[in-house]
Amino acid sequence: MAVLVRALHDISLAEEAVQDAFITALQCWPRDGLPPAPAGWIITTARNRAIDRLRREASRDQRHAAALELMQADDAEEHAVQDDHLRLVFTCCHPALASEARVALTLRLLGGLSTAEIAHAFLVSEPTMAQRLSRAKAKIRDAGIPWRIPEANELPERLAAVLAVVYLVFNEGYSATAGEELLRSELCDQALRLGRVLLELMPQEPEVTGLLALMLLVDARRAARTDDAGAFVKLSDQDRSRWNRDEIAEGQSLLRRCLARHLLEGKGAGPYQLQAAINAVHSDAVDAAHTDWRQVLALYDQWMALAPSAVVALNRAVAVAEVEGAPRALRLVEELPLTGYHLFHAVRADLLLRAGRKPEAVAAWRAALERCGNQRERQFLQRQLDTAISTT
């Protein structure tokens, strides 16, 4: 997709060409065998399909010229894809597009996320997200937005959206919206790779360093998030000996680099650095009982002061429950406008149970189940519901 978009300057045409190429692959590869360079085969075939489509639809000289230009372009090699990925991220995060549209479009093209998965990430309906994606693609095509990595002076205005894209791709990999498995490891790996590329590109940006530190500290728990049967294991029950200590060490080292820069420049930490710090506290604890929840809560307070949101407030409430008790946390959760979010109901159910309000907890577990699309998470929620019912 990244290679074709750069060549065609038209996202919809590139999507159709790539789809045509994969259909052809499904027909040819089982019969003829896997080609030596599968990605190059897909790119070449997709480019040829795009040429054919342009010729068929050509009614003006401009269409003929476009087909000729594409036909004469240099063959794309697999090693060039990394740069094309980065170009695609920065192009989709062009300031001419609305902020949410930038992130959503890049998630669709770069992360391969479905419209439903992106809608879930933004807590909106699927039709609403489909409209946003369609408008964004049309605007890029009609406005002739160039497919290039911006100049150095253009990077800052796009950076926030680029970081958001990378983090949302990581989140979808770490906790899949739907499907049979909890994890989509290829998305986690892709986000980590992009995080490293961005750090090489912008080593002096604290939030770039903070994002990579955050992803490493969270990804370190990947192997412990499921048991041998693939069932979801919540943080407090994870076997911490399965945590990746190399990733933890690297993440904490990056975080210390951010802290040293703050001390030198006298500036405060950004949201990704604060999230990394929260996860560093968890990684320091030998077990759940030794977590420094007061420090976690203090970091959430800083995050809420810097970039308040209902989801941040929900996560903060979990820390409040550990420091000030479940009833206090429950009062905070009840005020949040997140009734369509399954984790809102799951957190509320746990707090209700801890507050001794079992019938209400049962209803909240059921509400969480109704809104959850991932099979592994649904199994976990069902177990929680069954336990609550059996003790009611």
Side-chain angles (χ1 to χ4, degrees):
M1 269 301 300
V3 172
L4 266 292
V5 165
R6 172 170 56 82
L8 293 169
H9 307 283
D10 186 325
I11 294 172
S12 295
L13 180 58
E15 284 185 307
E16 292 169 0
V18 172
Q19 289 168 7
D20 288 347
F22 274 106
I23 290 172
T24 304
L26 287 170
Q27 295 167 346
C28 296
W29 292 1
R31 183 189 65 224
D32 303 332
L34 195 68
W41 190 100
I42 290 290
I43 290 168
T44 301
T45 303
R47 189 182 65 177
N48 291 338
R49 293 295 181 272
I51 292 171
D52 292 341
R53 188 180 294 271
L54 286 170
R55 283 171 169 166
R56 285 197 308 270
E57 297 176 355
S59 57
R60 297 183 180 180
D61 292 342
Q62 185 178 10
R63 285 292 192 182
H64 289 292
L68 181 63
E69 179 184 353
L70 182 57
M71 186 169 58
Q72 294 176 340
D74 291 335
D75 287 338
E77 297 181 5
E78 291 184 62
H79 70 259
V81 171
Q82 281 193 358
D83 288 339
D84 283 317
H85 276 172
L86 192 59
R87 183 179 291 105
L88 188 58
V89 175
F90 277 110
T91 300
C92 291
C93 291
H94 195 284
L97 299 175
S99 178
E100 285 192 353
R102 301 178 209 173
V103 177
L105 183 58
T106 315
L107 288 173
R108 180 74 184 89
L109 298 178
L110 180 72
L113 274 63
S114 69
T115 304
E117 290 164 346
I118 300 169
H120 179 270
F122 283 90
L123 303 180
V124 300
S125 70
E126 187 173 348
T128 297
M129 183 52 65
Q131 283 188 332
R132 291 181 185 176
L133 289 168
S134 180
R135 286 196 297 266
K137 287 190 282 188
K139 185 164 187 176
I140 285 181
R141 182 193 63 235
D142 297 341
I145 294 174
W147 295 95
R148 62 174 177 80
I149 298 175
E151 301 298 332
N153 63 333
E154 298 175 295
L155 290 176
E157 64 181 346
R158 304 191 192 192
L159 182 60
V162 170
L163 294 178
V165 165
V166 174
Y167 190 41
L168 287 172
V169 169
F170 177 82
N171 280 341
E172 180 60 29
Y174 193 72
S175 186
T177 300
E180 295 294 324
E181 301 301 328
L182 180 69
L183 297 165
R184 295 176 62 181
S185 295
E186 75 283 359
L187 291 183
C188 292
D189 294 339
Q190 184 181 63
L192 284 165
R193 183 188 66 79
L194 285 172
R196 295 185 188 283
V197 172
L198 282 168
L199 187 59
E200 290 179 10
L201 181 67
M202 307 177 75
Q204 300 306 315
E205 286 288 345
E207 280 289 78
V208 173
T209 307
L211 174 59
L212 182 55
L214 168 61
M215 292 191 295
L216 285 165
L217 291 167
V218 172
D219 191 65
R221 305 195 291 265
R222 192 195 306 188
R225 294 192 74 231
T226 55
D227 62 18
D228 293 338
F232 170 70
V233 181
K234 63 181 181 180
L235 177 61
S236 59
D237 294 335
Q238 288 177 11
D239 177 0
R240 301 192 176 205
S241 68
R242 299 181 66 189
W243 288 5
N244 187 322
R245 292 294 158 184
D246 289 338
E247 285 192 322
I248 289 173
E250 184 181 0
Q252 290 184 336
S253 175
L254 289 169
L255 194 57
R256 286 193 293 272
R257 188 192 305 178
C258 292
L259 178 61
R261 184 179 293 122
H262 294 319
L263 292 174
L264 182 65
E265 299 176 358
K267 296 179 180 179
Y272 293 112
Q273 296 163 78
L274 291 171
Q275 291 176 74
I278 289 168
N279 283 278
V281 175
H282 286 296
S283 68
D284 282 336
V286 294
D287 54 40
H290 287 83
T291 303
D292 188 345
W293 284 106
R294 291 189 180 279
Q295 186 178 1
V296 170
L297 181 56
L299 290 165
Y300 270 116
D301 288 341
Q302 292 182 53
W303 188 5
M304 280 293 291
L306 183 65
S309 77
V311 173
V312 177
L314 179 65
N315 287 305
R316 178 182 178 275
V318 175
V320 170
E322 298 296 332
V323 176
E324 302 177 17
R328 167 61 179 157
L330 191 56
R331 289 194 294 273
L332 297 174
V333 168
E334 300 283 13
E335 300 173 356
L336 300 176
L338 293 172
T339 55
Y341 185 35
H342 77 282
L343 290 180
F344 164 81
H345 296 282
V347 169
R348 182 170 175 270
D350 182 67
L351 294 174
L352 285 166
L353 203 60
R354 291 167 64 177
R357 296 160 61 178
K358 292 182 181 179
E360 293 172 86
V362 168
W365 285 124
R366 285 180 173 144
L369 258 172
E370 290 172 1
R371 292 161 176 80
C372 181
N374 182 275
Q375 186 60 31
R376 297 299 182 181
E377 281 192 282
R378 287 182 59 81
Q379 291 170 353
F380 171 79
L381 294 171
Q382 186 65 59
R383 290 196 300 272
Q384 300 298 109
L385 173 60
D386 293 343
T387 300
I389 291 173
S390 66
T391 58
T392 298

